[in-house]
Amino acid sequence: MSTTTPAPSPDAQTLWRLIVQAGGMKAYIDGQLRERGFLVTRRDADAMSDREKDTYKKALKQEAEERRKLRRETWGAYRANHIVHLGEGVFWTDEPKEDKWDTPNSEERAAENELPALDKAEQLAEALGVTIPQLKGMAYHRDAATSLHYVRFTIPKRDGTERPIWAPKKRLKAAQRWILHHIVERLPVHGAAQGFLVGRSILSNALVHENPKILLKMDIKEFFPTVTVKRVKGVFRRAGYRDGISTLLAQICTEAPREIVNVEGKTYYVSLGPRCLPQGAPTSPAITNALCLRLDRRLAGLAKRYGWRYTRYADDLTFSLPMDHKGPPKLGSMLGCARRIVESEGFEVKTEKTRVHRSGGRQSVTGLVVNGDSSPRTPRKLRRQLRSALHKLKTGKPLKDGESLARLTGYAAFVYMTNPDLGRKLLADLQGFEGKPEGPAV
């Protein structure tokens, strides 16, 4: 029987390196048993005396007990350096092997887009500056969670309802920003996409539709919630990543819609459906741009066929017929075909928000007026509102309910985008009231 004192356990990362160097978990355990004097040489018990049998059994028992301890240690090291499981309903394997769903020439495609080489979870964790357990925590899914990596709040919508926003916490937000800048922003997008891209804006979106004869506007219903984790994973797989890394990236960029439930004083966040793109994550808009490449290509082709123009700003689809267009507008064909294309791409048109604006009335695109020979501009009503508010500030009168210096400054910046001279003057006038009381609202 050995009296060797067990060596102190190394940290999980160092231990796993030792296991790899030994040739695997079994080889490491056998080596440690031999080194510590617990490994028993197997013998024929039939040829032993009773005393020898008793001693032999005790040695085997000690070996088995020590083997169990070593198995727990090695398994703990494995778990600390590998992602074993990602939660309910999530298929996970960290084997970087090829499968039939891999994009053909995936490595070449990733290299063409100048994407970072990521084959293993360890590489992704290192790139994000986190440990494997932290990476697993950000990607893990629970149908009923007691805590989340998001903070929930709401903002008002135009129709008076509230839009839930799930803002990622610090560590997850940093990881999403890395994925955004190093992967998603490098994926190809269609020229018709105008939102959340460098050099494109609501102004560039409106400029495409200057002075239209007919303006057709459509909205996609539940745009972000429709982009589920499976679709997000497909984006990363088409980019050139294999199943394991694509699963991790998709899990980090999605979260399930949840209901907050209190049970016996404890708060649970209960999943209401599959994980999807959260409104509030920095990656969500850019992922939709990459995902909608084929949608934009098909809708742009449809518009070109009938002589129309097309852009998409997030979930807002805009089609316009130029004023100099000759021949029938084929509005009905445009409307029907566009809806069918949207539906075939896995989305749904919000019928109640589909609008047709003709040249006789005001036509606006992403908040800017586009009809007439003038360039896109802010509505006259907004400019009048700003001048009226400035007059009240100068004369010491109270602002209207809902008006504040911060909101007025935002409106002035909006004006500046299309009319720099007027916007600059409005911003300068508003700056003169910073730090002064705005007066009670009426």
mmCIF file of all heavy atoms in Angstrom, residues 92 94-97 102 106-107 110-111 114-129 135 175 178-184 186 236-237 239-250 252:
data_model
loop_
_atom_site.group_PDB
_atom_site.id
_atom_site.type_symbol
_atom_site.label_atom_id
_atom_site.label_comp_id
_atom_site.label_asym_id
_atom_site.label_seq_id
_atom_site.Cartn_x
_atom_site.Cartn_y
_atom_site.Cartn_z
ATOM 1 N N TRP A 92 -24.568 20.890 -29.828
ATOM 2 C CA TRP A 92 -23.206 21.405 -29.731
ATOM 3 C C TRP A 92 -22.195 20.284 -29.882
ATOM 4 O O TRP A 92 -22.326 19.221 -29.303
ATOM 5 C CB TRP A 92 -22.963 22.092 -28.384
ATOM 6 C CG TRP A 92 -21.492 22.335 -28.151
ATOM 7 C CD1 TRP A 92 -20.661 21.626 -27.317
ATOM 8 C CD2 TRP A 92 -20.675 23.288 -28.806
ATOM 9 N NE1 TRP A 92 -19.389 22.112 -27.407
ATOM 10 C CE2 TRP A 92 -19.356 23.134 -28.318
ATOM 11 C CE3 TRP A 92 -20.920 24.270 -29.761
ATOM 12 C CZ2 TRP A 92 -18.305 23.928 -28.743
ATOM 13 C CZ3 TRP A 92 -19.870 25.058 -30.200
ATOM 14 C CH2 TRP A 92 -18.585 24.887 -29.690
ATOM 15 N N ASP A 94 -17.734 20.289 -30.308
ATOM 16 C CA ASP A 94 -16.544 21.109 -30.537
ATOM 17 C C ASP A 94 -15.577 20.432 -31.495
ATOM 18 O O ASP A 94 -14.429 20.840 -31.620
ATOM 19 C CB ASP A 94 -15.842 21.440 -29.213
ATOM 20 C CG ASP A 94 -15.467 20.198 -28.424
ATOM 21 O OD1 ASP A 94 -15.706 19.094 -28.940
ATOM 22 O OD2 ASP A 94 -14.938 20.343 -27.312
ATOM 23 N N GLU A 95 -16.067 19.403 -32.192
ATOM 24 C CA GLU A 95 -15.239 18.758 -33.204
ATOM 25 C C GLU A 95 -15.215 19.617 -34.462
ATOM 26 O O GLU A 95 -16.262 19.874 -35.068
ATOM 27 C CB GLU A 95 -15.796 17.374 -33.540
ATOM 28 C CG GLU A 95 -15.674 16.356 -32.413
ATOM 29 C CD GLU A 95 -14.232 15.976 -32.161
ATOM 30 O OE1 GLU A 95 -13.428 16.011 -33.114
ATOM 31 O OE2 GLU A 95 -13.907 15.653 -31.004
ATOM 32 N N PRO A 96 -14.036 20.066 -34.902
ATOM 33 C CA PRO A 96 -13.973 20.941 -36.089
ATOM 34 C C PRO A 96 -14.020 20.161 -37.398
ATOM 35 O O PRO A 96 -13.348 20.493 -38.359
ATOM 36 C CB PRO A 96 -12.620 21.634 -35.911
ATOM 37 C CG PRO A 96 -11.789 20.637 -35.187
ATOM 38 C CD PRO A 96 -12.722 19.870 -34.285
ATOM 39 N N LYS A 97 -14.805 19.095 -37.428
ATOM 40 C CA LYS A 97 -14.855 18.258 -38.622
ATOM 41 C C LYS A 97 -15.832 18.839 -39.639
ATOM 42 O O LYS A 97 -16.735 19.603 -39.317
ATOM 43 C CB LYS A 97 -15.275 16.843 -38.243
ATOM 44 C CG LYS A 97 -16.633 16.751 -37.562
ATOM 45 C CD LYS A 97 -16.917 15.337 -37.115
ATOM 46 C CE LYS A 97 -18.286 15.251 -36.412
ATOM 47 N NZ LYS A 97 -18.586 13.887 -35.934
ATOM 48 N N ASP A 102 -21.520 22.527 -44.541
ATOM 49 C CA ASP A 102 -20.451 23.510 -44.687
ATOM 50 C C ASP A 102 -20.552 24.202 -46.044
ATOM 51 O O ASP A 102 -20.909 23.582 -47.062
ATOM 52 C CB ASP A 102 -19.077 22.834 -44.585
ATOM 53 C CG ASP A 102 -18.709 22.511 -43.148
ATOM 54 O OD1 ASP A 102 -19.277 23.147 -42.246
ATOM 55 O OD2 ASP A 102 -17.863 21.629 -42.932
ATOM 56 N N SER A 106 -15.161 26.890 -47.822
ATOM 57 C CA SER A 106 -15.461 27.808 -46.719
ATOM 58 C C SER A 106 -14.255 28.631 -46.297
ATOM 59 O O SER A 106 -14.379 29.827 -46.020
ATOM 60 C CB SER A 106 -16.018 27.029 -45.527
ATOM 61 O OG SER A 106 -15.116 26.015 -45.126
ATOM 62 N N GLU A 107 -13.079 27.985 -46.212
ATOM 63 C CA GLU A 107 -11.901 28.728 -45.788
ATOM 64 C C GLU A 107 -11.574 29.850 -46.772
ATOM 65 O O GLU A 107 -11.216 30.959 -46.367
ATOM 66 C CB GLU A 107 -10.695 27.785 -45.661
ATOM 67 C CG GLU A 107 -10.751 26.864 -44.461
ATOM 68 C CD GLU A 107 -11.612 25.637 -44.710
ATOM 69 O OE1 GLU A 107 -12.119 25.479 -45.855
ATOM 70 O OE2 GLU A 107 -11.811 24.843 -43.775
ATOM 71 N N ALA A 110 -14.089 32.730 -46.265
ATOM 72 C CA ALA A 110 -13.767 33.515 -45.071
ATOM 73 C C ALA A 110 -12.551 34.397 -45.318
ATOM 74 O O ALA A 110 -12.503 35.552 -44.877
ATOM 75 C CB ALA A 110 -13.529 32.592 -43.885
ATOM 76 N N ALA A 111 -11.556 33.849 -46.030
ATOM 77 C CA ALA A 111 -10.350 34.628 -46.320
ATOM 78 C C ALA A 111 -10.656 35.796 -47.253
ATOM 79 O O ALA A 111 -10.108 36.898 -47.090
ATOM 80 C CB ALA A 111 -9.280 33.721 -46.929
ATOM 81 N N GLU A 114 -11.865 38.562 -45.425
ATOM 82 C CA GLU A 114 -10.883 38.961 -44.409
ATOM 83 C C GLU A 114 -11.420 38.726 -42.996
ATOM 84 O O GLU A 114 -11.278 39.558 -42.097
ATOM 85 C CB GLU A 114 -10.479 40.436 -44.589
ATOM 86 C CG GLU A 114 -9.822 40.711 -45.939
ATOM 87 C CD GLU A 114 -9.383 42.152 -46.080
ATOM 88 O OE1 GLU A 114 -9.798 42.990 -45.253
ATOM 89 O OE2 GLU A 114 -8.611 42.442 -47.002
ATOM 90 N N LEU A 115 -12.037 37.565 -42.815
ATOM 91 C CA LEU A 115 -12.566 37.199 -41.513
ATOM 92 C C LEU A 115 -11.493 36.496 -40.691
ATOM 93 O O LEU A 115 -10.646 35.786 -41.245
ATOM 94 C CB LEU A 115 -13.779 36.269 -41.667
ATOM 95 C CG LEU A 115 -14.953 36.803 -42.496
ATOM 96 C CD1 LEU A 115 -16.092 35.797 -42.471
ATOM 97 C CD2 LEU A 115 -15.424 38.149 -41.987
ATOM 98 N N PRO A 116 -11.503 36.662 -39.383
ATOM 99 C CA PRO A 116 -10.516 35.975 -38.545
ATOM 100 C C PRO A 116 -10.694 34.464 -38.606
ATOM 101 O O PRO A 116 -11.822 33.967 -38.665
ATOM 102 C CB PRO A 116 -10.803 36.520 -37.143
ATOM 103 C CG PRO A 116 -12.204 37.041 -37.197
ATOM 104 C CD PRO A 116 -12.413 37.515 -38.598
ATOM 105 N N ALA A 117 -9.587 33.745 -38.603
ATOM 106 C CA ALA A 117 -9.639 32.280 -38.629
ATOM 107 C C ALA A 117 -10.070 31.774 -37.257
ATOM 108 O O ALA A 117 -9.395 32.004 -36.262
ATOM 109 C CB ALA A 117 -8.275 31.719 -39.000
ATOM 110 N N LEU A 118 -11.215 31.118 -37.216
ATOM 111 C CA LEU A 118 -11.757 30.586 -35.966
ATOM 112 C C LEU A 118 -12.216 29.156 -36.210
ATOM 113 O O LEU A 118 -13.201 28.924 -36.917
ATOM 114 C CB LEU A 118 -12.942 31.437 -35.481
ATOM 115 C CG LEU A 118 -12.664 32.903 -35.165
ATOM 116 C CD1 LEU A 118 -13.970 33.648 -34.909
ATOM 117 C CD2 LEU A 118 -11.740 33.028 -33.959
ATOM 118 N N ASP A 119 -11.477 28.207 -35.649
ATOM 119 C CA ASP A 119 -11.842 26.801 -35.801
ATOM 120 C C ASP A 119 -12.271 26.173 -34.488
ATOM 121 O O ASP A 119 -13.000 25.187 -34.477
ATOM 122 C CB ASP A 119 -10.668 25.996 -36.371
ATOM 123 C CG ASP A 119 -10.338 26.412 -37.797
ATOM 124 O OD1 ASP A 119 -11.283 26.608 -38.583
ATOM 125 O OD2 ASP A 119 -9.145 26.544 -38.112
ATOM 126 N N LYS A 120 -11.792 26.728 -33.374
ATOM 127 C CA LYS A 120 -12.070 26.144 -32.068
ATOM 128 C C LYS A 120 -12.616 27.199 -31.116
ATOM 129 O O LYS A 120 -12.366 28.393 -31.275
ATOM 130 C CB LYS A 120 -10.792 25.531 -31.487
ATOM 131 C CG LYS A 120 -10.210 24.404 -32.322
ATOM 132 C CD LYS A 120 -8.948 23.857 -31.671
ATOM 133 C CE LYS A 120 -8.335 22.723 -32.482
ATOM 134 N NZ LYS A 120 -7.090 22.213 -31.858
ATOM 135 N N ALA A 121 -13.330 26.712 -30.103
ATOM 136 C CA ALA A 121 -13.879 27.618 -29.101
ATOM 137 C C ALA A 121 -12.775 28.399 -28.396
ATOM 138 O O ALA A 121 -12.951 29.569 -28.046
ATOM 139 C CB ALA A 121 -14.702 26.829 -28.083
ATOM 140 N N GLU A 122 -11.613 27.756 -28.189
ATOM 141 C CA GLU A 122 -10.506 28.437 -27.529
ATOM 142 C C GLU A 122 -10.053 29.667 -28.307
ATOM 143 O O GLU A 122 -9.714 30.695 -27.713
ATOM 144 C CB GLU A 122 -9.310 27.484 -27.359
ATOM 145 C CG GLU A 122 -9.601 26.269 -26.497
ATOM 146 C CD GLU A 122 -10.004 25.060 -27.296
ATOM 147 O OE1 GLU A 122 -10.900 25.196 -28.164
ATOM 148 O OE2 GLU A 122 -9.451 23.977 -27.049
ATOM 149 N N GLN A 123 -10.065 29.574 -29.640
ATOM 150 C CA GLN A 123 -9.658 30.714 -30.466
ATOM 151 C C GLN A 123 -10.646 31.864 -30.323
ATOM 152 O O GLN A 123 -10.246 33.031 -30.240
ATOM 153 C CB GLN A 123 -9.551 30.281 -31.931
ATOM 154 C CG GLN A 123 -8.426 29.313 -32.204
ATOM 155 C CD GLN A 123 -8.453 28.801 -33.636
ATOM 156 O OE1 GLN A 123 -9.464 28.247 -34.101
ATOM 157 N NE2 GLN A 123 -7.365 29.000 -34.355
ATOM 158 N N LEU A 124 -11.940 31.538 -30.306
ATOM 159 C CA LEU A 124 -12.947 32.586 -30.158
ATOM 160 C C LEU A 124 -12.851 33.225 -28.780
ATOM 161 O O LEU A 124 -12.930 34.445 -28.647
ATOM 162 C CB LEU A 124 -14.347 32.006 -30.378
ATOM 163 C CG LEU A 124 -15.518 32.989 -30.223
ATOM 164 C CD1 LEU A 124 -15.377 34.156 -31.193
ATOM 165 C CD2 LEU A 124 -16.851 32.278 -30.438
ATOM 166 N N ALA A 125 -12.672 32.408 -27.745
ATOM 167 C CA ALA A 125 -12.551 32.943 -26.391
ATOM 168 C C ALA A 125 -11.365 33.883 -26.284
ATOM 169 O O ALA A 125 -11.457 34.972 -25.694
ATOM 170 C CB ALA A 125 -12.415 31.798 -25.382
ATOM 171 N N GLU A 126 -10.246 33.486 -26.882
ATOM 172 C CA GLU A 126 -9.049 34.335 -26.843
ATOM 173 C C GLU A 126 -9.286 35.647 -27.576
ATOM 174 O O GLU A 126 -8.889 36.720 -27.114
ATOM 175 C CB GLU A 126 -7.861 33.586 -27.458
ATOM 176 C CG GLU A 126 -6.555 34.369 -27.395
ATOM 177 C CD GLU A 126 -5.387 33.591 -27.985
ATOM 178 O OE1 GLU A 126 -5.581 32.424 -28.392
ATOM 179 O OE2 GLU A 126 -4.275 34.156 -28.037
ATOM 180 N N ALA A 127 -9.961 35.578 -28.729
ATOM 181 C CA ALA A 127 -10.253 36.787 -29.498
ATOM 182 C C ALA A 127 -11.158 37.737 -28.719
ATOM 183 O O ALA A 127 -10.996 38.963 -28.789
ATOM 184 C CB ALA A 127 -10.896 36.414 -30.835
ATOM 185 N N LEU A 128 -12.108 37.186 -27.977
ATOM 186 C CA LEU A 128 -13.047 38.008 -27.211
ATOM 187 C C LEU A 128 -12.479 38.435 -25.862
ATOM 188 O O LEU A 128 -13.097 39.242 -25.155
ATOM 189 C CB LEU A 128 -14.355 37.242 -26.988
ATOM 190 C CG LEU A 128 -15.145 36.840 -28.239
ATOM 191 C CD1 LEU A 128 -16.397 36.072 -27.849
ATOM 192 C CD2 LEU A 128 -15.505 38.053 -29.072
ATOM 193 N N GLY A 129 -11.324 37.870 -25.492
ATOM 194 C CA GLY A 129 -10.713 38.220 -24.217
ATOM 195 C C GLY A 129 -11.448 37.647 -23.023
ATOM 196 O O GLY A 129 -11.500 38.275 -21.960
ATOM 197 N N LEU A 135 -17.199 32.322 -21.944
ATOM 198 C CA LEU A 135 -17.759 32.187 -23.293
ATOM 199 C C LEU A 135 -19.009 31.316 -23.258
ATOM 200 O O LEU A 135 -20.033 31.653 -23.866
ATOM 201 C CB LEU A 135 -16.712 31.578 -24.222
ATOM 202 C CG LEU A 135 -17.148 31.299 -25.665
ATOM 203 C CD1 LEU A 135 -17.492 32.591 -26.384
ATOM 204 C CD2 LEU A 135 -16.055 30.544 -26.414
ATOM 205 N N ALA A 175 -18.331 41.573 -26.391
ATOM 206 C CA ALA A 175 -18.200 40.429 -27.292
ATOM 207 C C ALA A 175 -18.966 40.664 -28.585
ATOM 208 O O ALA A 175 -18.470 40.369 -29.685
ATOM 209 C CB ALA A 175 -18.712 39.166 -26.598
ATOM 210 N N TRP A 178 -17.101 43.050 -30.817
ATOM 211 C CA TRP A 178 -15.987 42.407 -31.525
ATOM 212 C C TRP A 178 -16.506 41.624 -32.731
ATOM 213 O O TRP A 178 -15.938 41.704 -33.823
ATOM 214 C CB TRP A 178 -15.242 41.460 -30.577
ATOM 215 C CG TRP A 178 -13.983 40.925 -31.185
ATOM 216 C CD1 TRP A 178 -12.719 41.439 -31.090
ATOM 217 C CD2 TRP A 178 -13.873 39.763 -32.030
ATOM 218 N NE1 TRP A 178 -11.835 40.675 -31.809
ATOM 219 C CE2 TRP A 178 -12.516 39.639 -32.400
ATOM 220 C CE3 TRP A 178 -14.786 38.826 -32.500
ATOM 221 C CZ2 TRP A 178 -12.051 38.613 -33.220
ATOM 222 C CZ3 TRP A 178 -14.331 37.810 -33.327
ATOM 223 C CH2 TRP A 178 -12.975 37.710 -33.670
ATOM 224 N N ILE A 179 -17.574 40.878 -32.531
ATOM 225 C CA ILE A 179 -18.162 40.117 -33.635
ATOM 226 C C ILE A 179 -18.642 41.053 -34.741
ATOM 227 O O ILE A 179 -18.471 40.787 -35.931
ATOM 228 C CB ILE A 179 -19.322 39.245 -33.111
ATOM 229 C CG1 ILE A 179 -18.786 38.171 -32.158
ATOM 230 C CG2 ILE A 179 -20.087 38.593 -34.257
ATOM 231 C CD1 ILE A 179 -19.866 37.423 -31.395
ATOM 232 N N LEU A 180 -19.226 42.185 -34.337
ATOM 233 C CA LEU A 180 -19.715 43.165 -35.312
ATOM 234 C C LEU A 180 -18.570 43.693 -36.168
ATOM 235 O O LEU A 180 -18.641 43.675 -37.405
ATOM 236 C CB LEU A 180 -20.406 44.311 -34.574
ATOM 237 C CG LEU A 180 -20.811 45.525 -35.434
ATOM 238 C CD1 LEU A 180 -21.901 45.135 -36.421
ATOM 239 C CD2 LEU A 180 -21.281 46.670 -34.546
ATOM 240 N N HIS A 181 -17.495 44.169 -35.525
ATOM 241 C CA HIS A 181 -16.418 44.841 -36.252
ATOM 242 C C HIS A 181 -15.513 43.884 -37.008
ATOM 243 O O HIS A 181 -15.013 44.227 -38.083
ATOM 244 C CB HIS A 181 -15.575 45.675 -35.281
ATOM 245 C CG HIS A 181 -16.348 46.770 -34.613
ATOM 246 N ND1 HIS A 181 -17.232 47.590 -35.298
ATOM 247 C CD2 HIS A 181 -16.381 47.193 -33.322
ATOM 248 C CE1 HIS A 181 -17.771 48.459 -34.458
ATOM 249 N NE2 HIS A 181 -17.282 48.234 -33.260
ATOM 250 N N HIS A 182 -15.305 42.676 -36.475
ATOM 251 C CA HIS A 182 -14.359 41.757 -37.104
ATOM 252 C C HIS A 182 -15.005 40.744 -38.035
ATOM 253 O O HIS A 182 -14.290 40.119 -38.831
ATOM 254 C CB HIS A 182 -13.559 41.011 -36.027
ATOM 255 C CG HIS A 182 -12.605 41.887 -35.283
ATOM 256 N ND1 HIS A 182 -13.001 42.651 -34.201
ATOM 257 C CD2 HIS A 182 -11.291 42.141 -35.453
ATOM 258 C CE1 HIS A 182 -11.954 43.324 -33.737
ATOM 259 N NE2 HIS A 182 -10.912 43.036 -34.473
ATOM 260 N N ILE A 183 -16.325 40.572 -37.925
ATOM 261 C CA ILE A 183 -16.985 39.571 -38.770
ATOM 262 C C ILE A 183 -18.161 40.167 -39.548
ATOM 263 O O ILE A 183 -18.124 40.238 -40.781
ATOM 264 C CB ILE A 183 -17.468 38.368 -37.923
ATOM 265 C CG1 ILE A 183 -16.277 37.686 -37.233
ATOM 266 C CG2 ILE A 183 -18.212 37.356 -38.803
ATOM 267 C CD1 ILE A 183 -16.673 36.526 -36.327
ATOM 268 N N VAL A 184 -19.195 40.608 -38.841
ATOM 269 C CA VAL A 184 -20.458 40.947 -39.506
ATOM 270 C C VAL A 184 -20.303 42.126 -40.461
ATOM 271 O O VAL A 184 -20.844 42.107 -41.572
ATOM 272 C CB VAL A 184 -21.557 41.234 -38.463
ATOM 273 C CG1 VAL A 184 -22.881 41.499 -39.162
ATOM 274 C CG2 VAL A 184 -21.712 40.062 -37.507
ATOM 275 N N ARG A 186 -17.934 42.876 -42.209
ATOM 276 C CA ARG A 186 -17.138 42.504 -43.383
ATOM 277 C C ARG A 186 -17.903 41.615 -44.354
ATOM 278 O O ARG A 186 -17.378 41.263 -45.413
ATOM 279 C CB ARG A 186 -15.864 41.790 -42.929
ATOM 280 C CG ARG A 186 -14.995 42.660 -42.021
ATOM 281 C CD ARG A 186 -13.726 41.960 -41.601
ATOM 282 N NE ARG A 186 -12.940 42.792 -40.689
ATOM 283 C CZ ARG A 186 -11.730 42.486 -40.228
ATOM 284 N NH1 ARG A 186 -11.163 41.349 -40.610
ATOM 285 N NH2 ARG A 186 -11.095 43.292 -39.399
ATOM 286 N N PHE A 236 -23.460 32.951 -40.404
ATOM 287 C CA PHE A 236 -22.062 32.668 -40.084
ATOM 288 C C PHE A 236 -21.543 31.442 -40.829
ATOM 289 O O PHE A 236 -20.361 31.380 -41.192
ATOM 290 C CB PHE A 236 -21.900 32.487 -38.575
ATOM 291 C CG PHE A 236 -22.123 33.754 -37.800
ATOM 292 C CD1 PHE A 236 -23.160 33.857 -36.889
ATOM 293 C CD2 PHE A 236 -21.314 34.848 -38.001
ATOM 294 C CE1 PHE A 236 -23.377 35.029 -36.169
ATOM 295 C CE2 PHE A 236 -21.512 36.036 -37.296
ATOM 296 C CZ PHE A 236 -22.551 36.123 -36.384
ATOM 297 N N ARG A 237 -22.419 30.475 -41.095
ATOM 298 C CA ARG A 237 -21.991 29.303 -41.861
ATOM 299 C C ARG A 237 -21.703 29.697 -43.309
ATOM 300 O O ARG A 237 -20.721 29.242 -43.896
ATOM 301 C CB ARG A 237 -23.045 28.198 -41.801
ATOM 302 C CG ARG A 237 -23.290 27.653 -40.404
ATOM 303 C CD ARG A 237 -23.523 26.163 -40.397
ATOM 304 N NE ARG A 237 -22.308 25.425 -40.710
ATOM 305 C CZ ARG A 237 -22.222 24.092 -40.702
ATOM 306 N NH1 ARG A 237 -23.279 23.370 -40.395
ATOM 307 N NH2 ARG A 237 -21.101 23.484 -40.988
ATOM 308 N N ALA A 239 -20.723 32.511 -44.219
ATOM 309 C CA ALA A 239 -19.519 33.330 -44.194
ATOM 310 C C ALA A 239 -18.254 32.484 -44.273
ATOM 311 O O ALA A 239 -17.189 32.991 -44.648
ATOM 312 C CB ALA A 239 -19.487 34.185 -42.927
ATOM 313 N N GLY A 240 -18.373 31.184 -43.913
ATOM 314 C CA GLY A 240 -17.225 30.297 -44.011
ATOM 315 C C GLY A 240 -16.846 29.610 -42.723
ATOM 316 O O GLY A 240 -15.820 28.918 -42.678
ATOM 317 N N TYR A 241 -17.648 29.770 -41.661
ATOM 318 C CA TYR A 241 -17.334 29.125 -40.391
ATOM 319 C C TYR A 241 -18.042 27.773 -40.273
ATOM 320 O O TYR A 241 -19.140 27.597 -40.796
ATOM 321 C CB TYR A 241 -17.729 30.023 -39.218
ATOM 322 C CG TYR A 241 -16.829 31.238 -39.087
ATOM 323 C CD1 TYR A 241 -17.347 32.519 -39.175
ATOM 324 C CD2 TYR A 241 -15.458 31.090 -38.884
ATOM 325 C CE1 TYR A 241 -16.525 33.633 -39.064
ATOM 326 C CE2 TYR A 241 -14.629 32.188 -38.771
ATOM 327 C CZ TYR A 241 -15.163 33.460 -38.862
ATOM 328 O OH TYR A 241 -14.341 34.549 -38.758
ATOM 329 N N ARG A 242 -17.425 26.869 -39.532
ATOM 330 C CA ARG A 242 -18.005 25.548 -39.344
ATOM 331 C C ARG A 242 -19.065 25.592 -38.257
ATOM 332 O O ARG A 242 -19.301 26.608 -37.615
ATOM 333 C CB ARG A 242 -16.912 24.531 -39.019
ATOM 334 C CG ARG A 242 -15.871 24.413 -40.121
ATOM 335 C CD ARG A 242 -15.174 23.073 -40.089
ATOM 336 N NE ARG A 242 -14.063 23.029 -41.038
ATOM 337 C CZ ARG A 242 -14.205 22.817 -42.338
ATOM 338 N NH1 ARG A 242 -15.413 22.644 -42.846
ATOM 339 N NH2 ARG A 242 -13.154 22.788 -43.134
ATOM 340 N N ASP A 243 -19.691 24.414 -38.047
ATOM 341 C CA ASP A 243 -20.874 24.349 -37.199
ATOM 342 C C ASP A 243 -20.626 24.847 -35.777
ATOM 343 O O ASP A 243 -21.405 25.638 -35.248
ATOM 344 C CB ASP A 243 -21.386 22.897 -37.144
ATOM 345 C CG ASP A 243 -22.669 22.777 -36.349
ATOM 346 O OD1 ASP A 243 -23.728 23.111 -36.889
ATOM 347 O OD2 ASP A 243 -22.598 22.353 -35.184
ATOM 348 N N GLY A 244 -19.539 24.405 -35.148
ATOM 349 C CA GLY A 244 -19.299 24.758 -33.749
ATOM 350 C C GLY A 244 -19.156 26.251 -33.532
ATOM 351 O O GLY A 244 -19.828 26.840 -32.679
ATOM 352 N N ILE A 245 -18.283 26.890 -34.294
ATOM 353 C CA ILE A 245 -18.065 28.332 -34.152
ATOM 354 C C ILE A 245 -19.323 29.100 -34.545
ATOM 355 O O ILE A 245 -19.699 30.079 -33.894
ATOM 356 C CB ILE A 245 -16.865 28.779 -35.009
ATOM 357 C CG1 ILE A 245 -15.564 28.218 -34.429
ATOM 358 C CG2 ILE A 245 -16.792 30.299 -35.086
ATOM 359 C CD1 ILE A 245 -15.240 28.706 -33.033
ATOM 360 N N SER A 246 -20.010 28.661 -35.596
ATOM 361 C CA SER A 246 -21.245 29.336 -36.014
ATOM 362 C C SER A 246 -22.311 29.271 -34.920
ATOM 363 O O SER A 246 -23.053 30.227 -34.701
ATOM 364 C CB SER A 246 -21.788 28.710 -37.307
ATOM 365 O OG SER A 246 -20.884 28.894 -38.369
ATOM 366 N N THR A 247 -22.368 28.123 -34.232
ATOM 367 C CA THR A 247 -23.321 27.984 -33.124
ATOM 368 C C THR A 247 -23.001 28.975 -32.018
ATOM 369 O O THR A 247 -23.900 29.667 -31.507
ATOM 370 C CB THR A 247 -23.293 26.551 -32.571
ATOM 371 O OG1 THR A 247 -23.686 25.640 -33.607
ATOM 372 C CG2 THR A 247 -24.241 26.405 -31.391
ATOM 373 N N LEU A 248 -21.744 29.069 -31.624
ATOM 374 C CA LEU A 248 -21.351 30.001 -30.568
ATOM 375 C C LEU A 248 -21.647 31.444 -30.955
ATOM 376 O O LEU A 248 -22.203 32.218 -30.175
ATOM 377 C CB LEU A 248 -19.864 29.838 -30.258
ATOM 378 C CG LEU A 248 -19.463 28.612 -29.440
ATOM 379 C CD1 LEU A 248 -17.950 28.467 -29.414
ATOM 380 C CD2 LEU A 248 -20.011 28.723 -28.024
ATOM 381 N N LEU A 249 -21.277 31.833 -32.170
ATOM 382 C CA LEU A 249 -21.500 33.206 -32.629
ATOM 383 C C LEU A 249 -22.998 33.530 -32.648
ATOM 384 O O LEU A 249 -23.417 34.621 -32.231
ATOM 385 C CB LEU A 249 -20.901 33.404 -34.021
ATOM 386 C CG LEU A 249 -19.368 33.333 -34.109
ATOM 387 C CD1 LEU A 249 -18.928 33.331 -35.567
ATOM 388 C CD2 LEU A 249 -18.728 34.503 -33.374
ATOM 389 N N ALA A 250 -23.807 32.581 -33.134
ATOM 390 C CA ALA A 250 -25.251 32.806 -33.205
ATOM 391 C C ALA A 250 -25.859 32.915 -31.812
ATOM 392 O O ALA A 250 -26.740 33.756 -31.569
ATOM 393 C CB ALA A 250 -25.919 31.687 -33.995
ATOM 394 N N ILE A 252 -24.378 33.921 -29.068
ATOM 395 C CA ILE A 252 -23.947 35.181 -28.452
ATOM 396 C C ILE A 252 -24.751 36.358 -28.994
ATOM 397 O O ILE A 252 -25.020 37.324 -28.272
ATOM 398 C CB ILE A 252 -22.434 35.393 -28.694
ATOM 399 C CG1 ILE A 252 -21.630 34.362 -27.886
ATOM 400 C CG2 ILE A 252 -21.996 36.804 -28.321
ATOM 401 C CD1 ILE A 252 -20.146 34.351 -28.215
#
